[in-house]
Structures are given as structure tokens and as C-alpha cells.
Amino acid sequence: HPGYLQVGSKTLKDKHNLGAIDLTTIIQKSSQIGISKLALDLEPQSVRDLLHKCGFGEITGVGFPGESAGVLPSHAKWQPIERATLAFGMGMSATPLQIARAYLMIANQGQLHNVSLLKQGGKTLQDKKPEQLVSPKVAAQMNEMLKAVVQPGGTAYRSRLESYTFSGKTGTAHKVDSTGYAENKYVAIFAGMAPADNPEIVAVVVINEPTIGGYYGGEVAAPVFAKVADQSLRLMN
């Protein structure tokens, strides 16, 4: 409430005034105002450090040529607008594999595993003891909140798996060019896991500059995730 927030000279806005909401609703509705208010109450370096521990801002180590480390800023002094916008993903960049690895941590009860492109003898080449980033309880709570995104009222409620449940998060990024934000150019994202209660797969769908069916992650990326996840789980029986 009231659907906008003045941070320095910038005004952040939600699509609608959502009133008084809880953390689940912040995630379900993608509320920039809700997450910004939380971020401004937190110590900024601790937020940044947890993102770094999740693997953002560094290469994954899979050995793929030209892999990007993405961008995760670090400042001696954080400005309020930087603290707010980082909380909903602005000012940083990430690869789909980095995002998938972070969701893998949620799916694996808070344990961060290494990722690999290859297997040998049933084990990945990167296998080593995983790091416990958050408690299993916190990871389970996060998964419960992510379920709300695909339920009625969520940003991806139009997407359904025929035979399975899933959880995840939509994302919509406005692209930039040499003059600032590019007019009518977006990246639509959905990251999730299925089945929701006992995840077997994690997947990230990125649609670059969608032109059909809208441009929000819930409109164009989440339906692709649903189809791919449903068919993948059927093949896995």
C-alpha cells in the first residue's frame, strides 16, 4: 500500500495497489513495492552475500566455452534505490543455468549442488559434498510460497500441468539499449520445479523479445515450462 514507493528520486510502482500483503502474496503477485520495503529493512550486504552464495556473479564451472559470470554488484555503501531494485532483479544479470542452480537449492532442501553437463558412471563430473545454504524448513517454506504463483491469483495461474503439480516464479525484464530502456523489448522468464511436493526436475524457460501472446513471464514462458515439464515427467514415469 498504496501501490507505489518513492525511493530517492525514483518512484517504484506495482500494477495495482495490493493493500496490506504477506510474503507469499509478494511472490505470488510479483510485488516490487512489497519486496522493496522488505529489502530496505534488511542489511544490504547480507542480501548480496546470499545471492553470491547461491552462485550469482560467478561462473558455474561446467566448462562450457564463453560462459558468462553475470553481474552481481558490490558496493562499499549501498544507496537505497540500489537496495530496493536489487531485491527484484534490476542492477544484476544472470544466466539461465545460474537461475536453475539456485532453484535446485530450493528443490534439494536448501542444499546447493554443483552442476555439470556430463555424467560418468551415473555421477556428474562436478560431484562433491553440497553446501547447506538454508535450512530444510526454510527451503520448504520457499517452495510453498512458489506454489502460489501457479494458483488462482498468481502471475502464472493460466499454466497447468495435466498430471503433476509444479511451483516456480515468473520474471519480466525490460531490455536496455544505448539510450536506456528499449521500447517494447522484453525478456520473459519462468523458473520452476516439478512435481511441487517432491521435485524431480528444475527448469528455466527464457523467451527473448516475445512477440505473440504478450510479454510477461506468466503469459509466454510459464506455458512452455508446463508443457516441457509434463512431458519430461511422463518420460521419467
Side-chain angles (χ1 to χ4, degrees):
H1 179 80
Y4 61 87
L5 178 67
Q6 190 75 24
V7 183
S9 62
K10 302 290 185 181
T11 302
L12 306 177
K13 296 180 179 180
D14 282 341
K15 286 183 67 177
H16 310 287
N17 178 9
L18 299 173
I21 56 176
D22 60 11
L23 182 53
T24 298
T25 308
I26 289 175
I27 294 172
Q28 182 186 39
K29 301 287 189 181
S30 283
S31 172
Q32 290 188 358
I33 306 309
I35 203 69
S36 295
K37 286 185 175 183
L38 282 175
L40 291 170
D41 280 342
L42 297 172
E43 201 283 310
Q45 194 60 36
S46 66
V47 176
R48 190 264 177 201
D49 288 348
L50 183 58
L51 288 170
H52 186 256
K53 288 180 180 179
C54 286
F56 296 108
E58 61 182 13
I59 60 173
T60 62
V62 294
F64 192 79
E67 181 188 8
S68 171
V71 175
L72 182 63
S74 183
H75 303 294
K77 183 178 180 181
W78 289 82
Q79 298 300 318
I81 189 63
E82 293 170 328
R83 296 165 61 184
T85 55
L86 182 67
F88 54 81
M90 291 182 66
M92 65 175 288
S93 66
T95 67
L97 186 57
Q98 288 174 325
I99 297 171
R101 188 185 181 201
Y103 275 75
L104 185 65
M105 182 269 291
I106 301 172
N108 274 311
Q109 299 183 321
Q111 292 185 345
L112 185 70
H113 288 254
N114 283 325
V115 291
S116 175
L117 298 176
L118 301 173
K119 277 189 175 184
Q120 281 188 344
K123 291 188 175 182
T124 70
L125 300 181
Q126 296 284 335
D127 268 352
K128 70 175 186 179
K129 186 176 180 180
E131 182 181 359
Q132 191 77 43
L133 284 194
V134 300
S135 70
K137 179 181 178 180
V138 168
Q141 289 172 330
M142 294 168 69
N143 191 14
E144 284 297 318
M145 294 177 192
L146 292 170
K147 290 179 185 178
V149 174
V150 299
Q151 293 170 355
T155 53
Y157 75 95
R158 295 184 182 90
S159 299
R160 288 284 188 275
L161 273 68
E162 293 183 16
S163 307
Y164 305 94
T165 59
F166 71 107
S167 58
K169 183 73 187 74
T170 57
T172 307
H174 202 159
K175 297 187 72 172
V176 296
D177 59 19
S178 59
T179 61
Y181 286 116
E183 186 176 0
N184 299 323
K185 289 187 177 181
Y186 298 89
V187 176
I189 304 167
F190 186 85
M193 44 202 167
D197 291 322
N198 187 23
E200 291 289 338
I201 61 170
V202 166
V204 178
V205 175
V206 181
I207 311 292
N208 188 33
E209 296 186 23
T211 57
I212 298 174
Y215 61 85
Y216 288 111
E219 296 173 329
V220 294
V224 177
F225 173 93
K227 289 184 179 180
V228 171
D230 197 68
Q231 293 179 32
S232 298
L233 290 170
R234 289 177 187 272
L235 288 171
M236 295 168 65
N237 196 29

